[in-house]
Amino acid sequence: MLLLVYYCGSAGGLKDEGNPLFEFAYRRTYLEKLDQCFCELTGRVEDCCCDVETVDSLNRLVVYPLVTSLVAEPYFRFYRVNLNRQCPFWPDDSRCHLKDCHVQYCTEGEIPDFLKLEAEFTSGQEKNSCIELDENKLSAVNISISSEQNERFKDWEQYDTTESYCVIDDENSSYVDLRINPERFTGYIGGSPQRIWNAIYQENCFKPAGTSPAKLSFLDASSLQGLCLEKRVFYRLVSGLHASINIHLSAQYAVPGANGHVYFEPNLSQFVRRFDVATTRGQGPNWLKNLYFTYLVVLRALTKAGTYWDSQSFYTGDTGRDILVKEKIMTIVNAAKTCNSLFDETQMFLGTSQDLKHEFREHFRNISRIMDCVGCNKCRLWGKLQVHGIGTALKMLFSEQAITTPLTLSRNEIVALVNVLGRLSGSIHSLGTFRSMLAEQGKPLAGADEL
C-alpha cells in the first residue's frame, strides 16, 4: 500500500481501490517497475565472457543450493574478527546503539573443539619460538644467519604485507557464529553509512581524468568506458558488492510484530527505491548487473583453486561432514567450468602496469580499513567479512607468489571467501524473488475486468 500512495497518490480519485482505473494504474505501475529495474539483466556481463542467463541458471541449479548448505557447516560458520578497532580516518562518533546492531560473540563453551585445537597449535608454536629467543641471545642468532637469508626474510615479510588485499585483524580478534548474527536490516541509516560509501567511492574508486573526487559517488556506463580494464574492474567489484548488500537489506527487512516482536521479510518498496531508474539517476539496473560481475570474479577465484581445494581436509573432527564439504566445493568448481570464461584475470596488469597493480591493491586495502569506521557492529561484521572475502579472491587471482609456490590460505580467508560467495549467490537468488513480486503486483486483481 505504501507503493500505491507513492506512485499513484497524486492521481486524485485513482486512490479508490474499488475504481477499475485505479486497478489498471496499479498494475501498469508495477509492470513498468519490473521493466525498469531489470532492463539491463540480460546478455553478456561487461568485462566477462559469461552472460546473465547462464549465471542465473548456474546459480539456481548448483551454486545457490550448495553454497547455502556450505555456510551452515561448522567450518564456515565461525569467523574470527576484531570489531573494536578504531576508525583510522575520522572520530568514531557514530556507534549504533540499536538492538539489532549488536553482535553476539562466542563464549568459550560455544567455540568448537577443532577451533580450540587450532588455536592451541598456533600458540604452542609461538611459545616455542619465544623460548628459543630466550635461550639464544639476539646477537648470536644474527651471526648465524647469512646476509642472503636476511634478504629472503625481508622478501617474505614484504610478501605477507603486499600480497594481501586486506588489512588483517590482530590477536585481539574473537570468534563470531555467523548463523546467529545474520546480515539483515538493522535500522542503521543516515549520515554514518552514507559517509562510509562516500569514502569508498569518492576517495578509493578510480575516476576518469578530470573528474572531481568529491563530485561523483558513482559512475555511469559511459564514464566507465573511459577507464582502463583494471580500473573498471575495481569499480564494478565495489558497485557489485554494494548492490548485493542493498539486496540483502531489502530481502531481510525488519517488520514490527505483536508484543514487540520483530520479524524479517522481503520489502518490495525498499528494493524498488534502491534500484529503480527514477530514484538512482538511471543507474540502478547497471548496479544490479555489476552484482553479476562481482559474483563471477569470486567464482573464478574459487574455480582457479580447484587443485588446492582437492588437497584440503576442511577439518572439524567430523570426518563424514568434512568429506561432504569438500564434495560440495568440488561440485561447484566443476559446474562453474561449464561457462566458457567466468572472468579472465590474465588480461589484467600486463606489461608496465605493475605500479597500477600496487595502486589497485592499496586502494582495496584502504576499503578494508574503512570497514572499521562502520558504526553498526553487525554491519561492521558483515562488511569486514565480505571485503575480506573479495580481497581473498583478488589475492588468489593476482598473487605473484602463487606462480612459483603452492597457494596457501588461512582458515579465516577460506571462511570469508565462501561466505561472500554465499552472500552474492543469495542476492542473485533474491532478484528472482523481487522479480516475481513485481510481476505478481502487475497481474490483474482477483475479480477485476481487463481494461
Side-chain angles (χ1 to χ4, degrees), residues 49-70:
C49 297
C50 231
D51 58 61
V52 168
E53 291 77 11
T54 300
V55 173
D56 281 335
S57 177
L58 175 65
N59 191 64
R60 182 180 68 257
L61 298 176
V62 181
V63 179
Y64 177 73
L66 287 179
V67 78
T68 300
S69 65
L70 279 172

Side-chain angles (χ1 to χ4, degrees), residues 17-18 23 26-27 440-450:
E17 295 188 21
E23 294 170 359
Y26 180 103
R27 298 194 302 272
E440 185 66 28
Q441 295 286 358
K443 289 181 179 179
L445 301 180
D449 296 325
E450 289 294 335

Side-chain angles (χ1 to χ4, degrees), residues 87-296:
C87 173
F89 301 109
W90 55 75
D92 193 5
D93 56 359
S94 58
R95 188 59 60 90
C96 179
H97 298 289
L98 295 172
K99 177 183 176 182
D100 289 320
C101 290
H102 174 70
V103 169
Q104 182 177 336
Y105 291 96
C106 294
T107 64
E108 184 67 22
E110 292 170 333
I111 299 175
D113 289 340
F114 73 91
L115 292 178
K116 293 178 182 177
L117 289 172
E118 181 182 275
E120 288 173 5
F121 177 74
T122 304
S123 62
Q125 286 183 317
E126 293 170 350
K127 182 178 180 181
N128 290 339
S129 299
C130 292
I131 292 173
E132 290 174 7
L133 288 176
D134 288 340
E135 293 176 350
N136 300 281
K137 291 185 178 180
L138 189 58
S139 59
V141 172
N142 284 338
I143 292 172
S144 67
I145 298 176
S146 67
S147 58
E148 181 181 352
Q149 286 172 319
N150 271 319
E151 288 302 313
R152 185 172 298 175
F153 291 156
K154 291 178 182 178
D155 289 341
W156 291 351
E157 183 179 358
Q158 183 179 14
Y159 169 72
D160 288 340
T161 56
T162 60
E163 287 297 307
S164 174
Y165 281 75
C166 293
V167 175
I168 307 302
D169 281 339
D170 53 28
E171 65 278 0
N172 294 319
S173 302
S174 300
Y175 281 110
V176 171
D177 185 343
L178 299 172
R179 185 185 61 174
I180 62 175
N181 293 283
E183 182 186 26
R184 55 194 183 190
F185 183 79
T186 65
Y188 177 59
I189 57 176
S192 179
Q194 184 176 353
R195 179 165 57 174
I196 298 294
W197 287 112
N198 284 343
I200 291 173
Y201 282 111
Q202 295 177 2
E203 300 173 21
N204 291 281
C205 282
F206 300 95
K207 302 286 176 63
T211 304
S212 171
K215 186 178 179 181
L216 202 59
S217 289
F218 59 83
L219 300 177
D220 57 30
S222 60
S223 298
L224 275 179
Q225 295 312 310
L227 296 176
C228 65
L229 172 63
E230 292 82 359
K231 294 180 179 181
R232 292 200 306 271
V233 165
F234 192 99
Y235 177 81
R236 291 194 201 281
L237 279 172
V238 172
S239 175
L241 174 62
H242 193 182
S244 181
I245 290 173
N246 276 333
I247 293 170
H248 304 159
L249 301 184
S250 302
Q252 290 286 312
Y253 199 82
V255 179
N259 301 320
H261 177 71
V262 176
Y263 62 97
F264 295 85
E265 64 178 22
N267 188 308
L268 185 58
S269 64
Q270 280 293 318
F271 174 80
V272 170
R273 182 182 68 81
R274 294 172 190 270
F275 296 105
D276 183 23
V277 293
T279 56
T280 61
R281 304 179 195 174
Q283 294 307 303
N286 293 322
W287 298 343
L288 290 178
K289 203 163 189 179
N290 287 337
L291 160 65
Y292 283 74
F293 176 83
T294 306
Y295 173 91
L296 287 171

Side-chain angles (χ1 to χ4, degrees), residues 253-404:
Y253 199 82
V255 179
N259 301 320
H261 177 71
V262 176
Y263 62 97
F264 295 85
E265 64 178 22
N267 188 308
L268 185 58
S269 64
Q270 280 293 318
F271 174 80
V272 170
R273 182 182 68 81
R274 294 172 190 270
F275 296 105
D276 183 23
V277 293
T279 56
T280 61
R281 304 179 195 174
Q283 294 307 303
N286 293 322
W287 298 343
L288 290 178
K289 203 163 189 179
N290 287 337
L291 160 65
Y292 283 74
F293 176 83
T294 306
Y295 173 91
L296 287 171
V297 171
V298 174
L299 190 58
R300 167 57 186 154
L302 188 82
T303 59
K304 184 179 182 180
T307 304
Y308 177 78
W309 303 129
D310 199 38
S311 67
Q312 292 301 297
S313 63
F314 299 100
Y315 176 79
T316 64
D318 185 334
T319 304
R321 296 186 75 164
D322 297 346
I323 292 173
L324 186 59
V325 163
K326 181 189 289 191
E327 290 176 351
K328 290 178 179 179
I329 293 271
M330 295 309 298
T331 299
I332 293 175
V333 168
N334 293 326
K337 292 178 181 178
T338 59
C339 185
N340 291 331
S341 177
L342 299 170
F343 171 74
D344 188 1
E345 71 280 2
T346 64
Q347 298 303 305
M348 291 182 60
F349 308 116
L350 298 175
T352 59
S353 58
Q354 290 307 302
D355 288 343
L356 177 58
K357 183 176 182 180
H358 174 76
E359 189 178 6
F360 186 104
R361 183 168 51 234
E362 288 306 307
H363 279 219
F364 200 85
R365 284 172 62 86
N366 218 36
I367 291 176
S368 75
R369 294 186 182 97
I370 292 174
M371 292 300 101
D372 285 318
C373 301
V374 177
C376 163
N377 261 2
K378 190 167 288 183
C379 306
R380 180 181 294 202
L381 164 65
W382 283 97
K384 287 169 75 77
L385 174 98
Q386 291 175 86
V387 169
H388 191 188
I390 293 175
T392 300
L394 295 175
K395 172 184 172 180
M396 296 165 71
L397 293 174
F398 302 124
S399 171
E400 296 172 4
Q401 208 73 358
I403 298 173
T404 56

